[in-house]
């Protein structure tokens, strides 16, 4: 069980990594904005599939769909191209979520790559102050050819994500 209470997330969460995936220091793997990074054990054509977690307090009334759109706009500034290939609302009124899939062409480590990102946005209330809303973003990034193989790991990982109620005590 990973808790990462020291990570820079607005709400502490717990999760379990899929078998074989290993945590990596965000700065060391070129993801300083991430609160947590896990890497797949088998690179594909020199690219290592990864799961990243980040989040922020969102005191505004932006919907998860709008926040996801903002993420696409930011990614578009750094990538050659970004296309939303699917999106949908998930969860419930008490625990809303939003997911989107992106086809991304980008230069990574000096190499042009075609990648797929599966992004999940979860709205969570601060356990100590339920008036504070946070949005947690969980992202799987993989090559187009490896994405089908690692997507089930990401889905297994998502099923384990929950607020870390022990961190509030």
């Amino acid at each position: 069980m990973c808790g990462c209470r020291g990570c820079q997330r607005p709400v502490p969460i717990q999760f379990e990594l899929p078998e074989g995936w290993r945590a990596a220091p965000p700065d060391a793997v070129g993801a300083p904005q991430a609160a947590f990074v896990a890497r797949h054990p088998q690179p594909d054509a020199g690219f290592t599939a990864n799961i990243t977690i980040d989040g922020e307090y969102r005191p505004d009334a932006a919907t998860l769909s709008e926040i996801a759109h903002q993420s696409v706009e930011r990614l578009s500034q750094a990538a050659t191209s970004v296309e939303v290939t699917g999106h949908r609302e998930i969860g419930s009124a008490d625990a809303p979520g939003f997911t989107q899939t992106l086809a991304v062409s980008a230069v990574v480590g000096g190499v042009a790559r075609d990648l797929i990102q599966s992004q999940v946005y979860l709205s969570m209330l601060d356990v100590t102050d339920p008036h504070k809303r946070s949005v947690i973003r969980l992202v799987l990034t993989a090559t187009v050819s490896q994405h089908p193989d690692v997507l089930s790991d990401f889905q297994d990982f998502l099923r384990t994500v929950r607020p870390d109620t022990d961190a509030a005590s």
Side-chain angles (χ1 to χ4, degrees):
M1 172 108 36
C2 294
C4 297
R5 292 182 189 135
C7 294
Q8 298 302 311
R9 285 192 305 270
V11 174
I13 60 173
Q14 293 181 342
F15 51 86
E16 294 179 32
L17 288 176
E19 187 174 334
W21 290 73
R22 298 285 178 246
D27 287 337
V29 295
Q33 76 290 355
F36 181 83
V37 176
R39 296 171 48 124
H40 190 267
Q42 293 295 122
D44 178 48
F47 183 85
T48 302
N50 59 79
I51 295 171
T52 59
I53 302 172
D54 63 24
E56 62 185 339
Y57 282 112
R58 290 300 300 237
D60 60 358
T63 66
L64 293 177
S65 174
E66 291 167 340
I67 294 168
H69 180 73
Q70 292 167 359
S71 177
V72 171
E73 288 177 352
R74 283 190 304 275
L75 184 58
S76 294
Q77 295 172 4
T80 307
S81 70
V82 178
E83 177 186 351
V84 178
T85 60
H87 60 86
R88 66 185 176 98
E89 291 185 19
I90 59 172
S92 65
D94 291 336
F98 186 83
T99 181
Q100 67 182 3
T101 304
L102 310 175
V104 179
S105 293
V107 176
V108 180
V111 177
R113 302 216 180 258
D114 290 326
L115 305 170
I116 301 290
Q117 271 198 358
S118 296
Q119 300 182 342
V120 176
Y121 296 81
L122 302 175
S123 183
M124 294 183 165
L125 298 179
D126 187 300
V127 292
T128 58
D129 182 355
H131 293 82
K132 292 182 179 178
R133 175 181 76 136
S134 297
V135 174
I136 305 297
R137 182 174 69 150
L138 308 118
V139 180
L140 169 68
T141 305
T143 61
V144 171
S145 61
Q146 192 176 31
H147 187 263
D149 296 331
V150 296
L151 182 59
S152 62
D153 284 352
F154 186 57
Q155 291 166 335
D156 290 345
F157 162 76
L158 291 171
R159 283 190 274 280
T160 71
V161 175
R162 62 189 170 280
D164 185 353
T165 54
D166 292 337
S169 52

